Amino acid sequence: MLQRRSTRTRLAVLAVCGSLSLAITACGDDSGTSGSTASGDVAAVIKGLDNPFFQQMEAGIDAADDNVDVQAAADITDTTGQLDKLTVVAGQDPACVIVNPIDGTNLVQGMAQLAANDVPIVNIDSPVDADAAAQADAAPATYIGTDNLDAGRLAGEEMVSLLPDGDSVALIGGIAGDVTSNARLDGFTETAGPGVDIIQTVAANWSRDEALTQATTLLRANDDLAGFFVANDDMALGVARAVSDVGRAGEVEIISVDGVLDGLKGVQSGDLSAVVAQYPYAIGEMGVHACQAAIAGAELPGEVTAPIALVTADNVDEALEAAPAPFEAYDDPFAALVD
């Protein structure tokens, strides 16, 4: 069991540069890259650093090895740009590459290039489509990510405990059809469904503003709405704003998944009832350890589940103190392979 309490993080770059946009332009180049991959080094290609979740992932990668070249997509829709970055990395003779694809197939072409050169691939957070990877002969050596179904279940258990009388609840997901969002919603429905009245499920495209709009509509149409389950913290904060705007602050339970800093602060302030914290910091750290183990010739487990934890008012101070690292002990099987 490893206790990850390090607060050393590349999020400090934000303090140096003043804002994320300045960090990308002044502390790196304008394409979301942190450098170039030297032959024999580890590289990572992740989603956009416009999202705090992936900022924390980068911080975990850096905590494990600050020589890793992290290339980031421009945003959550930049599938082609992310592939372009992986293609460049693949041409630089890396020893191992960490991939965090925007969707299940957008990086498969670049992964095939890596696999053709026997470069180990470590897939983190968002899974590569297994069939597409197999057809390209580019299967990752391992996958590290959150069990989103379990995260939804944990949220469902908490919602039922907060609303024991079976009150009305609405669900707000990310992009319609998104695998991650659907798994969280399914897990919540599986666990909370028999105990609460789920009146509607809507998509807000991972946007705080869209979640604000959707939640406002739902609240005005349903005077007795008592709770929201929201697929990520950023959208949940939009929901909290909607609840406040209609004069129901403190009356409506809001639970989300992610555990980013703003989400934890939302629990601390009482704007959010709870968050199921997943740990992109730990996922990034374990990704590097997996690459190090692969380079050393170790056989990697096919799949490793990243830690999650329910954060409520009772333990939010502890969670904030440890952030962005987990505040509870967790297993990192790759670290033992490197030692």
Side-chain angles (χ1 to χ4, degrees):
M1 300 287 284
L2 298 177
Q3 185 70 27
R4 301 295 184 191
R5 294 184 177 272
S6 171
T7 57
R8 184 171 65 88
T9 165
R10 286 180 80 168
L11 296 180
V13 73
L14 300 182
V16 175
C17 298
S19 72
L20 178 58
S21 60
L22 289 176
I24 294 173
T25 56
C27 298
D29 63 31
D30 61 5
S31 60
T33 64
S34 61
S36 61
T37 306
S39 177
D41 284 349
V42 175
V45 178
I46 66 174
K47 296 179 187 176
L49 296 176
D50 59 328
N51 186 310
F53 184 91
F54 302 108
Q55 295 169 22
Q56 291 186 13
M57 180 180 290
E58 186 191 33
I61 291 170
D62 184 65
D65 182 352
D66 60 11
N67 290 316
V68 174
D69 171 32
V70 180
Q71 305 283 332
D75 55 45
I76 198 66
T77 67
D78 184 30
T79 54
T80 302
Q82 191 187 38
L83 173 59
D84 289 343
K85 292 179 185 300
L86 181 58
T87 301
V88 171
V89 165
Q92 295 173 337
D93 193 26
C96 181
V97 178
I98 301 163
V99 296
N100 168 224
I102 290 174
D103 65 39
T105 60
N106 76 295
L107 295 184
V108 169
Q109 181 181 339
M111 292 170 58
Q113 186 177 344
L114 292 167
N117 292 318
D118 297 321
V119 177
I121 301 165
V122 171
N123 180 198
I124 63 173
D125 178 46
S126 298
V128 174
D129 183 90
D131 291 338
Q135 289 175 10
D137 197 22
T142 188
Y143 169 72
I144 306 162
T146 301
D147 186 327
N148 287 293
L149 198 62
D150 271 354
R153 289 173 180 140
L154 195 56
E157 290 173 0
E158 181 65 10
M159 186 67 79
V160 171
S161 74
L162 294 173
L163 300 176
D165 296 328
D167 295 318
S168 297
V169 173
L171 278 54
I172 296 184
I175 298 169
D178 180 84
V179 173
T180 297
S181 176
N182 285 352
R184 294 175 185 177
L185 298 179
D186 288 348
F188 181 89
T189 301
E190 175 188 315
T191 301
V196 298
D197 179 19
I198 298 175
I199 60 166
Q200 194 169 348
T201 300
V202 299
N205 298 310
W206 304 117
S207 165
R208 186 181 301 198
D209 289 341
E210 288 192 43
L212 167 60
T213 300
Q214 293 278 18
T216 300
T217 300
L218 287 163
L219 286 160
R220 288 176 176 167
N222 301 276
D223 291 339
D224 61 347
L225 188 57
F228 285 92
F229 172 62
V230 192
N232 81 349
D233 292 350
D234 199 47
M235 292 190 298
L237 293 168
V239 173
R241 173 67 183 274
V243 169
S244 177
D245 286 349
V246 300
R248 297 195 61 199
E251 300 175 12
V252 179
E253 308 295 349
I254 305 169
I255 302 175
S256 59
V257 177
D258 260 357
V260 299
L261 187 60
D262 283 349
L264 297 178
K265 289 180 177 179
V267 175
Q268 187 180 54
S269 69
D271 291 337
L272 304 182
S273 307
V275 301
V276 178
Q278 53 175 340
Y279 290 100
Y281 182 95
I283 292 171
E285 234 182 357
M286 286 196 285
V288 175
H289 293 157
C291 264
Q292 292 169 342
I295 292 168
E299 183 175 350
L300 306 185
E303 183 171 334
V304 171
T305 300
I308 58 173
L310 181 69
V311 179
T312 67
D314 293 336
N315 59 8
V316 67
D317 290 341
E318 185 180 1
L320 279 166
E321 182 181 357
F327 67 98
E328 298 178 339
Y330 69 97
D331 286 321
D332 179 352
F334 305 106
L337 296 175
V338 176
D339 292 341

